[in-house]
Amino acid sequence: MLRKSPAAAGPRAPFPGAGPHVCFLALASAVVGVACSQASTNQTTAPVDLGMTPALTAYYNSEELTLYEVQKAVQLPVKQPSADDLANLGATPANTGYPRAPWLLASDESLEVHYIISNLDAQDHTVYLLIDPWNEFVRWDPGVTVVDDETAAPNYGYDLPFLVKAMSRVQGTITQDDMQEIAIKLASVENLLGSAQTMAAEASAADGGMNDSGFDPTGTANNIFNPQNRSNGGDPLYTPWIPPVVAGLTGFDLGLRTTESATVAIEVTIDVQDLSGKNKFIPVDSTQATIGPPPTVLSPPGAVF
């Protein structure tokens, strides 16, 4: 049976600070970056570093699956809206799952995430770069789905695998288009999991009944978040859940995952552009209040952590 390791027991730490499976590693020799802060309309964030060592206890462990995972919250410099700002947003858009109209739209921002993943071990590792997105309403926390005593798998966030050779690094960019796609994925899953169809399926499962429709909210969420599926691809399990209004990303949980002990690290910087024309972002070195972490954690039905 899949179980959490003793070191990972208890709820996940939702935001910055010490948590049961959050690990920080200063590896200046492994990941080096330069960041600068500019005007609020066009800026690059300070570097964010994250790593794991062989001392890390497995996050999940069973006879069939072992996962080592670390995460760190990354908050984007989105301005905290005033009461007047919120009052002027207008009616809550239909078919979105949002409790109100979004302050920040996906069209208000351009984001690019530049990453360097370093492997300090004398053996190759497959390393997953994890982006679990936030908007102003929800934070995506995918967890793991346990099918039976022998079968379990991580649910999708935006998960990208890399084979990182021994004593080497890989680097790249999650492009503006990809970050827009991540915002659409989160908005679509938020719409899906708030739907009457999902609630009926969950109620049926809670009563021990059969879901006669065959609707699988967790499978649909995983299909939407699978990086191989795109919002413009006409996927019949994705397209119906794309809302007419897409909330922008206000942050994400940056993560690394392996299936074996490893000494690996990542550094990211983020290019942020405010496309709104309404000063919805603040300079990264400003003392002005940001929108902060979202109030609700959203996960697939039945996920375990």
Side-chain angles (χ1 to χ4, degrees), residues 33-57:
V34 178
C36 52
S37 59
Q38 301 90 15
S40 62
T41 55
N42 190 352
Q43 57 186 296
T44 301
T45 65
V48 178
D49 297 326
L50 176 68
M52 64 170 63
T53 73
L56 184 69
T57 302

Side-chain angles (χ1 to χ4, degrees), residues 19 26 30 62 64 89 112 151 168 186 192 208 248 271 276 302-304:
S62 74
E64 302 297 326
L89 291 178
E112 286 196 341
T151 307
S168 71
L186 179 59
L192 161 74
D271 293 338
S276 71
V304 296

